[in-house]
Amino acid sequence: MVALTYAIYFAAITALEDGTEEITLPLEKKEILKRYRLPLERFLLNTDVINSPDMTSLQALAIFITCLRVNETGRSI
């Protein structure tokens, strides 16, 4: 459940456009994304999504991968 929560946070920050004036973030967008990405990756590794998937972990993984495609440009995605 924690991984899904972090994935939703990650998606929410990803959805914000750069230079959004209505919302004042405490840090740069890239820094906030990094703060959510690292724990999310650890949670997904600890839950062992590939070998024993459950619906919550798969939802977190799907949201995370979708958002990574927006934030990262490379073949690793």
Side-chain angles (χ1 to χ4, degrees), residues 37 65 68-69 71-77:
R37 180 181 177 169
I65 290 173
L68 274 184
R69 294 187 68 200
N71 294 311
E72 299 289 326
T73 56
R75 294 183 62 181
S76 64
I77 302 302

Side-chain angles (χ1 to χ4, degrees), residues 10 14 37 40-41 44 50 61-77:
F10 190 79
T14 298
R37 180 181 177 169
L40 178 55
E41 288 176 347
L44 289 172
I50 301 302
L61 183 63
I63 292 170
F64 181 57
I65 290 173
T66 303
C67 292
L68 274 184
R69 294 187 68 200
V70 173
N71 294 311
E72 299 289 326
T73 56
R75 294 183 62 181
S76 64
I77 302 302

Side-chain angles (χ1 to χ4, degrees), residues 24-77:
T24 305
L25 298 174
L27 299 169
E28 296 275 332
K29 181 178 174 181
K30 288 182 181 183
E31 183 64 32
I32 296 172
L33 287 171
K34 189 168 77 172
R35 285 188 177 196
Y36 287 126
R37 180 181 177 169
L38 295 175
L40 178 55
E41 288 176 347
R42 277 188 247 136
F43 286 130
L44 289 172
L45 286 173
N46 289 339
T47 58
D48 200 22
V49 168
I50 301 302
N51 293 326
S52 59
D54 64 346
M55 185 55 77
T56 306
S57 298
L58 290 175
Q59 288 172 334
L61 183 63
I63 292 170
F64 181 57
I65 290 173
T66 303
C67 292
L68 274 184
R69 294 187 68 200
V70 173
N71 294 311
E72 299 289 326
T73 56
R75 294 183 62 181
S76 64
I77 302 302

